[in-house]
Amino acid sequence: MGEIKDRFKAETDIVGAEIKQLLKEHGTKKIGEVQLSQVYQGMRGITGLVSETSLLDANDGIRFRGYSIPELQVKLPKSEGGSEPLPEGLFLLMLIGGLPTSDEVQNLTSVWQRRSHVPNHVFATIEALPIATHPMTQFVIAIMALQTESQFSRKYAGGLNKKDYWEATFDDAMDLIARLPRVAAYIYRRKYKNGEHIQPNGLLDWAGNFAHMLGYEDEGFMELMRLYMTIHADHEGGNVSAHATHLVGSALSDPYLSFAAGMNGLAGPLHGLANQEVIKWIFEMREELKTELPTKEQITEYVKKTLSEGKVVPGYGHAVLRKTDPRFTAQMEFGKKHMPEDPLVQTVWNVYEAVPPILKSLGKVKNPWPNVDAHSGALLVHYGMVEYDFYTVLFGVSRSLGVLASLCWDRALSFPLERPKSITTDLVKKWLKGEEEIWGE
Ligand SMILES: CC(C)(COP(=O)(O)OP(=O)(O)OC[C@H]1O[C@@H](n2cnc3c(N)ncnc32)[C@H](O)[C@@H]1OP(=O)(O)O)[C@@H](O)C(=O)NCCC(=O)NCCS
């Protein structure tokens, strides 16, 4: 653990000094102009954040510290006999910068195993909720219950020196990531498996142990979890879960409070909840058409019906991406390798052929291509995980890797309280008439 922390500190010291210098030399340089429409329309295209862990290209998709998903599938360490990357490796890449070795990855697996203890009151808090409570709500409440363990919060109350914020944040981030699989698996087994819980297996990697605690021993499912936890981990800084974690963290709320905020955002249907919406939509289509494998013509008609009811086609479109999401492609490759004959997976591929031309024909959809959520559910169903309400929790466990690595950077670089300027339409009208000015505080 000490070694990871030391390397993180050394790396952030270097980058911190570079930022200081470049702001001194170029701090007043303009990087863009803001149009009125952008202010009203979700701040799309406004560059206003720094997030070191990953960068999204509209056409090429996500790159983690410069590496694409296909590159990482080759270069990151795997489990013995496995072919999918271990998410521990991606975390180290995001946190420190370079590609980790197998030994470094194994060391992190052991660190997280040692720190994975979840206190009983967290389970008691989950048990106090009605069983029907959505798994994401249970997840967020459990994270809040875990906040009693925050070292940042305790040390801050005791008078923490500013220069030590990063270290308490780092420790909380490590503890929280280590504990999340146990919490998530507990919610799953409680809600869907009669409360028959499964103890952790200390011989498994982080994602493999998560699969085990969920109750899936199939090596294929473990491989899927390793891939799933890797590809959902981060999508640069402006998406709702990353931005919410960063924003709340900027108030010096501890990592538990900040991450819970991010997870509340992930629970929205335009963000992480879309993965449950996709499979629900496909199940409903199959039910209505009374077939396991609808034809492309039938899918086309069903998509048109969905649109005519004023609904979005879940799993399609993106605020930034303008091509097929490489995270979709990675899952498609996994499907081709492990389950090419599965009718649900084939339906996902048929939907992929049917939807883009229809969305393009609407003329307003900026990206008619599938995103990560269009595929994930079908792979999970293949291994028997049919409880789609739970899928966003899997996404959340994975997302912890990116947003908490970023939060460590935020504290190490001493990023200040985030506080953009907002305006009123009344002010806009006066500004347009030349009666008032709009400027930042
Ligand atoms: C992801 C998403 C929220 C991005 O929103 P956005 O940046 O505002 O997207 P656009 O600029 O392309 O939206 C322009 C119009 O196209 C519509 N549109 C975008 N994606 C659509 C989809 N999959 N199905 C139907 N209509 C869609 C929007 O609703 C909007 O319509 P409006 O002007 O009538 O309000 C949007 O594509 C969406 O709702 N997708 C489905 C949900 C989903 O898969 N979410 C997971 C994202 S990873």
Side-chain angles (χ1 to χ4, degrees):
M1 175 67 180
E3 198 193 310
I4 304 172
K5 200 188 255 184
D6 291 346
R7 287 180 54 207
F8 171 74
K9 173 77 174 120
E11 191 58 32
T12 54
D13 280 350
I14 295 169
V15 176
E18 282 170 356
I19 293 173
K20 212 170 164 186
Q21 188 58 29
L22 68 85
L23 286 182
K24 200 168 145 199
E25 287 173 25
H26 309 287
T28 55
K29 213 170 168 172
K30 293 201 170 90
I31 58 170
E33 285 184 349
V34 178
Q35 292 172 1
L36 186 58
S37 60
Q38 292 174 293
V39 176
Y40 275 94
Q41 288 161 0
M43 298 194 278
R44 293 297 191 289
I46 300 179
T47 303
L49 292 170
V50 174
S51 181
E52 305 286 4
T53 47
S54 66
L55 187 66
L56 183 57
D57 179 276
N59 292 313
D60 296 343
I62 192 68
R63 281 183 182 271
F64 302 89
R65 299 270 183 189
Y67 295 99
S68 68
I69 285 176
E71 283 167 348
L72 290 179
Q73 283 179 293
V74 176
K75 290 177 196 267
L76 282 180
K78 325 268 183 301
S79 70
E80 218 180 301
S83 52
E84 298 303 336
L86 287 166
E88 287 90 328
L90 178 72
F91 178 75
L92 287 173
L93 176 68
M94 290 190 291
L95 186 75
I96 300 171
L99 282 172
T101 63
S102 284
D103 282 352
E104 287 165 346
V105 162
Q106 268 177 31
N107 172 45
L108 181 58
T109 300
S110 317
V111 167
W112 284 348
Q113 273 163 1
R114 282 199 302 277
R115 299 171 81 128
S116 64
H117 174 73
V118 175
N120 279 337
H121 75 267
V122 175
F123 300 127
T125 305
I126 297 170
E127 290 295 342
L129 296 167
I131 198 104
T133 310
H134 192 280
M136 274 308 275
T137 310
Q138 298 196 34
F139 189 51
V140 172
I141 289 171
I143 295 161
M144 292 307 302
L146 257 181
Q147 192 266 348
T148 51
E149 309 309 293
S150 171
Q151 304 193 41
F152 183 93
S153 161
R154 195 165 45 248
K155 287 181 178 163
Y156 190 87
L160 188 61
N161 189 315
K162 256 185 180 181
K163 69 177 177 37
D164 297 325
Y165 287 171
W166 73 271
E167 191 171 5
T169 303
F170 182 99
D171 285 331
D172 274 357
M174 287 292 192
D175 286 346
L176 183 49
I177 292 170
R179 289 160 166 165
L180 287 173
R182 179 94 169 95
V183 169
Y186 189 93
I187 292 166
Y188 180 74
R189 302 292 304 178
R190 170 184 189 242
K191 189 167 167 74
Y192 307 109
K193 305 289 172 188
N194 301 319
E196 289 157 16
H197 298 290
I198 300 171
Q199 290 305 308
N201 178 346
L203 298 174
L204 288 168
D205 54 282
W206 184 73
N209 185 39
F210 185 26
H212 158 76
M213 288 188 289
L214 287 165
Y216 296 86
E217 300 298 343
D218 188 308
E219 187 48 40
F221 188 85
M222 291 198 179
E223 280 286 272
L224 176 60
M225 270 306 102
R226 291 170 190 132
L227 175 67
Y228 189 112
M229 292 294 130
T230 299
I231 63 176
H232 287 79
D234 209 32
H235 220 222
E236 74 171 31
N239 68 76
V240 172
S241 52
H243 190 186
T245 306
H246 167 82
L247 169 68
V248 174
S250 85
L252 289 188
S253 304
D254 65 57
Y256 294 83
L257 298 169
S258 308
F259 181 61
M263 290 302 98
N264 278 311
L266 194 74
L270 295 188
H271 191 18
L273 206 77
N275 61 9
Q276 84 164 51
E277 299 294 310
V278 168
I279 212 70
K280 190 166 158 242
W281 180 82
I282 294 181
F283 281 157
E284 282 167 4
M285 171 169 68
R286 297 206 312 185
E287 173 89 20
E288 192 169 313
L289 299 172
K290 308 250 174 301
T291 170
E292 257 208 330
L293 193 57
T295 63
K296 273 171 225 157
E297 291 70 32
Q298 285 176 309
I299 294 172
T300 300
E301 285 314 305
Y302 196 78
V303 170
K304 287 182 179 161
K305 181 173 164 271
T306 301
L307 292 170
S308 71
E309 288 166 354
K311 297 175 190 160
V312 294
V313 181
Y316 282 76
H318 199 272
V320 180
L321 272 174
R322 294 296 174 255
K323 288 269 169 67
T324 295
D325 191 335
R327 301 172 299 172
F328 176 89
T329 312
Q331 295 180 92
M332 193 157 97
E333 296 303 324
F334 188 94
K336 283 184 188 157
K337 185 171 162 195
H338 292 271
M339 61 206 68
E341 304 302 330
D342 185 305
L344 186 63
V345 172
Q346 287 184 354
T347 301
V348 166
W349 300 341
N350 289 337
V351 170
Y352 180 28
E353 287 188 28
V355 170
I358 304 174
L359 290 184
K360 269 187 210 168
S361 73
L362 296 180
K364 63 173 182 178
V365 182
K366 295 200 189 68
N367 174 28
W369 303 106
N371 58 57
V372 66
D373 297 322
H375 209 309
S376 47
L379 302 179
L380 295 165
V381 171
H382 176 82
Y383 291 105
M385 186 179 265
V386 294
E387 303 89 354
Y388 52 73
D389 272 7
F390 187 75
Y391 293 171
T392 311
V393 177
L394 298 177
F395 194 159
V397 173
S398 168
R399 195 38 68 102
S400 69
L401 301 176
V403 301
L404 291 172
S406 265
L407 198 64
C408 292
W409 274 87
D410 293 350
R411 290 290 74 76
L413 296 176
S414 303
F415 282 167
L417 181 78
E418 190 178 301
R419 202 334 188 157
K421 176 85 184 100
S422 75
I423 49 176
T424 61
T425 301
D426 188 47
L427 176 63
V428 169
K429 288 195 284 192
K430 287 180 179 145
W431 169 69
L432 289 171
K433 284 188 208 151
E435 294 168 9
E436 298 259 9
E437 286 296 323
I438 295 180
W439 58 74
E441 279 172 352

